[in-house]
Structures are given as C-alpha cells and as structure tokens.
C-alpha cells in the first residue's frame, strides 16, 4: 500500500531531519548553558533549558516519523502511517504551549516594569539563536514539502516562532537602547497572541486527517481520469478515499458499466481497472459496478432529466439512473449529487421543480424515486467538470 515516494526513502529523510533538529537544539542548549555558567546568569541558563525542550519536539518528530514508516503487520494491516498525525499533534501542542508561556510572562512584565539588562554576550546569544532557528525552520519546511509531512510542517512553524520571539527580544533591546522605551512586554504580548492563534490552526490541521477529511481533489481527479479512460466505462461517481497516513490510501468508487453484459465480463474490467489504479497511484481501490441501460429509450430519459436538473441548478449532477416499466407507467430512479450545506427547502425545491419539468416535457404520469447525495471531494474537481461536459454532450459517445 506504499505510495510513490517510497516508504523507506521517506523515513530516511525524516529521521535525518529529526537528528539535525536535535543536534542544533542541543548545540544551542550547550552553548547557552556554558555561557550562562561562565557569566553566572540565571536568565541565560533558563533560556538554555528552553532549547532542551525544543530538542524534545525534534525527538517526537523523529520517533513519530520512524514509527509511522514501519511496515504493515498482523495487528495493523494498513500500516502505521497515522502515527505521524499523532506526532504532529504533539508538536503542535508543545508549540501552542510556548505561546501561552510567552503570554503569561508578557503580562507579568506589563504589570511589573523592569529596566532591560543586557550585555554583549546576551546579544551574541540572541543572534546565534536567531540564525540557528531560522536555518532550522527553512530546512524543516523544505523537508515537509519534499515528503509531505505534517510533523515537519508543525516543526517548521515551531522553529520559526522561536526565531520570531528571539527577534522580538532583540528589537525591544534595540528600541530601549535608542529611545529608552521599554516595549518588551507589549511586543511579547502581541507575538504570543499570534503564536497561540497559529498553534491552534496547526492543531486543527493535524487533527483533521484523524477525523476524516474530504478527498484530495488532485488524487481524485487522477483516479477518475484513469477509470473513465477505459472503453466500456460510462461514468464514475461516489469515490471514497480513506487515508492511513501520507500516501497510503484505500477506497472505493462506483463505475457505470453496460448492464447487459455478463457479470464475468464486468468483473474482468473492474479487476483490470483496480490493478491499474494500484500501479499508477498506489491506491487500493474497490470498484462497485453500476449497470447502465444503454437502449435508446433509457438514454433519452436520462438525458432529459440531466438537462432539466442542470437548468434548475448548474452545480447539480445525477448518477445511477434506472428506467423501469411498471403497471402504473414508467418509473425513474436516480441519485442527485448536491453540494453540502443546502437548506432542506432548497433540496425540496429542486426535486419539486424536477418532477414538474419532467411531467411537462414527457406529458405522462411518471413515478420518480430520487435520492440526494453529497460529494466526498471538497472542491469541484476537474474530473467532475469533465463529467459535466460529457453529461451535457450525452453519454452515447462512450458506447463500446
Ligand atoms: Zn452508484
Ligand atoms: Zn474480484
């Protein structure tokens, strides 16, 4: 079930990045501790221990990525990829905590204003911190992009905000030296609010894949293009993707095939498409086959219904269309795909207008059985536009 980057390569990059992070933070810790002891400064020593806890974040990132990269086993046949999301959550949590601590100390400084003391050594240390943290933030960001890792995205934010907090201290010292104004507490307060806000948004981002998200539009588009380019496929819908860590997906899709063919033939095509999807995208897909009626009458009914629906709402589409002949006349059954978040009244209006429109255009008493569906892919993906175009052009151009 491994994706395209290759799991071992991904883990190797992550472990290397984690080690570099630990090393940088330990160096800062050691340097500050030595200077603090030498200069007998408690505040520098306290700052040194901040870097020790930053090294802790790097350890979480390293261990999380390593564990996430472990192969699937009997207890976890889908692999361990989701461990990475938990690690990212922990890093994001620690980063938010830094914001809360900064907020607390800024409020205290606001209430008890003190003169700012600083020496050449302090300044040297501050610039050293800024350089190391900035370098680390940029490095983590590159790693996060390269292997699409939420842990390293969170770690990059963490390093970047450490850098910003230190830079704010330097700024306050500079302003104090030039003008005598002590803006340390005010700057710290503003910055801490930003850090907390940023931390909460990263927390939300890291939790989202654990709750279950809508499909990645790019991957959905890719899968549906592969499915729909096969001869004998009339359309596809209801693509569901479950993520078991970065680049590990399994899911299902409905594929419309000629309902008159044998089960054996339909199954052979479905199997073939499943294999191709797996080879080209790494996704383990199960195909549910929907029989399409390919006779002229059913095609005409579907086309009329589609045209009417699109006139009522441009962003609606339909699938699984069935035409039945009963004793009381004809019956249409189909699913309507509508965007999320519509009012009940709007959904009722759409079905009412569709019923009215069909009755007028067909001049007969018609039974409609329709079901309302919502998309699993958030934004209207390109594949859906392709489908929309094809639907309006009529489906017969896909006949085998
Ligand atoms: Zn279906
Ligand atoms: Zn099978």
């Amino acid at each position: 079930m491994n994706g395209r980057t290759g799991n071992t390569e991904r883990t190797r990059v992550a472990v290397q990045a984690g080690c570099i992070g630990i090393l940088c933070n330990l160096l800062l810790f050691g340097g500050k501790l030595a200077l603090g002891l030498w200069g007998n400064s408690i505040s520098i020593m306290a700052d040194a221990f901040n870097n020790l806890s930053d090294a802790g974040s790097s350890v979480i990132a390293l261990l999380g990525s390593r564990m996430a990269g472990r192969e699937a086993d009997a207890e976890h046949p889908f692999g361990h990829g989701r461990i990475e999301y938990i690690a990212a959550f922990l890093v994001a949590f620690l980063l938010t905590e830094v914001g809360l601590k900064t907020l607390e100390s800024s409020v205290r400084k606001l209430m008890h204003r003190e003169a700012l003391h600083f020496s050449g050594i302090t300044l040297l240390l501050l610039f050293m911190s800024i350089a190391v943290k900035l370098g680390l933030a940029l490095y983590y960001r590159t790693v996060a992009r390269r292997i699409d890792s939420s842990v390293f995205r969170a770690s990059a934010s963490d390093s970047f905000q450490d850098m910003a907090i230190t830079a704010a201290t330097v700024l306050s010292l500079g302003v104090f030296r030039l003008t005598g104004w002590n803006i340390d507490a005010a700057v710290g307060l503003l910055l801490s609010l930003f850090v907390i806000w940023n931390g909460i948004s990263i927390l939300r981002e890291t939790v989202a894949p654990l709750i279950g998200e809508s499909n990645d539009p790019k991957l959905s588009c890719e899968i549906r293009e592969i499915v729909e380019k096969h001869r004998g496929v009339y359309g596809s819908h209801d693509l569901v993707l479950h993520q078991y860590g970065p680049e590990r997906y399994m899911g299902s899709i409905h594929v419309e095939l000629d309902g008159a063919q044998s089960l054996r033939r339909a199954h052979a095509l479905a199997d073939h498409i499943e294999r191709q999807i797996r080879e080209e995208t790494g996704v383990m897909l199960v195909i549910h086959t929907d029989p399409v009626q390919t006779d002229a009458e059913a095609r005409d009914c579907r086309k009329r219904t589609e045209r009417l629906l699109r006139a009522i709402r441009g962003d609606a589409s339909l699938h699984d269309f069935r035409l039945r002949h009963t004793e009381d006349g004809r019956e249409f059954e189909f699913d309507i795909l509508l965007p999320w978040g519509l009012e009940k009244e709007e959904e009722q209006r759409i079905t009412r207008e569709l019923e009215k429109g069909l009755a007028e255009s067909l001049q007969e008493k018609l039974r409609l059985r329709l079901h309302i569906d919502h998309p699993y892919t958030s934004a209207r993906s390109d594949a859906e536009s392709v489908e929309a175009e094809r639907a309006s052009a009529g489906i017969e151009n896909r006949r085998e």
Side-chain angles (χ1 to χ4, degrees), residues 152-170:
F152 284 100
R153 259 196 301 280
S155 298
S157 258
D158 185 32
S159 298
F160 192 76
Q161 77 181 29
D162 287 346
M163 193 272 309
I165 291 171
T166 314
T169 312
V170 174

Side-chain angles (χ1 to χ4, degrees), residues 237-238 254 288 290 319-320 335:
H237 54 266
D238 285 359
H254 289 204
H288 164 102
D290 280 327
H319 53 75
D320 288 345
D335 293 359

Side-chain angles (χ1 to χ4, degrees), residues 43 108-119 122 169 172-173 175-177 180-185:
S43 68
R108 222 186 13 235
K109 281 185 208 158
L110 263 184
M111 295 196 297
H112 311 280
R113 279 182 182 271
E114 299 161 8
L116 294 177
H117 304 288
F118 63 97
S119 59
T122 329
T169 312
S172 309
L173 287 176
V175 170
F176 184 69
R177 174 142 225 187
W181 296 340
N182 187 347
I183 59 165
D184 190 33

Side-chain angles (χ1 to χ4, degrees), residues 198-219:
N198 185 40
I200 290 172
S201 69
I202 295 175
L203 276 174
R204 287 176 51 151
E205 191 196 307
T206 54
V207 172
L210 292 171
I211 300 174
E213 293 175 292
S214 54
N215 297 340
D216 170 29
K218 201 167 146 257
L219 183 61

Side-chain angles (χ1 to χ4, degrees), residues 42 70 84 99 109 130 139 145 184 203 205 207 243 248 302 313 390 398:
I42 293 181
R70 277 202 327 239
E84 190 170 307
K109 281 185 208 158
I130 290 175
Y139 171 63
R145 282 194 187 146
D184 190 33
L203 276 174
E205 191 196 307
V207 172
Q243 199 177 16
R248 288 161 201 241
R302 177 178 175 146
R313 248 196 104 98
R390 221 188 53 229
R398 274 288 177 136

Side-chain angles (χ1 to χ4, degrees), residues 178-363:
L178 289 174
T179 65
W181 296 340
N182 187 347
I183 59 165
D184 190 33
V187 170
L189 192 73
L190 273 179
L191 199 61
S192 67
L193 292 178
F194 170 74
V195 166
I196 292 168
W197 175 76
N198 185 40
I200 290 172
S201 69
I202 295 175
L203 276 174
R204 287 176 51 151
E205 191 196 307
T206 54
V207 172
L210 292 171
I211 300 174
E213 293 175 292
S214 54
N215 297 340
D216 170 29
K218 201 167 146 257
L219 183 61
S220 303
C221 186
E222 198 180 337
I223 290 173
R224 292 189 56 184
E225 264 170 14
I226 296 172
V227 168
E228 297 193 7
K229 79 177 182 215
H230 282 84
R231 272 176 72 82
V233 172
Y234 287 81
S236 66
H237 54 266
D238 285 359
L239 170 63
V240 178
L241 291 172
H242 296 290
Q243 199 177 16
Y244 284 92
E247 299 188 342
R248 288 161 201 241
Y249 290 93
M250 63 176 299
S252 59
I253 191 171
H254 289 204
V255 175
E256 299 187 343
L257 303 177
D258 184 349
Q261 69 189 307
S262 72
L263 173 60
R264 186 171 295 142
R265 208 166 149 214
H267 177 260
L269 179 57
D271 254 7
H272 170 75
I273 299 174
E274 282 173 354
R275 261 196 307 277
Q276 196 174 354
I277 297 282
R278 181 135 186 202
E279 274 160 25
E280 289 183 23
T281 67
V283 176
M284 219 174 94
L285 201 66
V286 174
I287 291 181
H288 164 102
T289 53
D290 280 327
V292 175
Q293 292 161 304
T294 53
D295 58 287
E297 185 194 359
R299 283 206 325 263
D300 176 64
C301 293
R302 177 178 175 146
K303 232 159 63 184
R304 273 171 197 269
T305 316
E306 263 170 350
R307 217 178 294 134
L308 273 169
L309 178 64
R310 215 169 288 283
I312 296 168
R313 248 196 104 98
D315 55 2
S317 65
L318 66 85
H319 53 75
D320 288 345
F321 186 90
R322 313 260 185 280
L323 164 68
R324 267 185 223 104
H325 295 273
T326 68
E327 284 171 5
D328 317 317
R330 296 199 292 179
E331 180 187 276
F332 292 3
E333 179 171 3
F334 52 92
D335 293 359
I336 301 182
L337 193 71
L338 291 177
W340 290 94
L342 293 185
E343 299 282 341
K344 261 271 158 310
E345 288 79 43
E346 171 66 358
E347 296 188 350
Q348 283 162 355
R349 180 191 73 87
I350 294 164
T351 53
R352 247 198 337 268
E353 287 202 10
L354 195 59
E355 274 169 23
K356 213 177 85 197
L358 278 172
E360 274 167 17
S361 101
L362 293 166
Q363 294 293 324

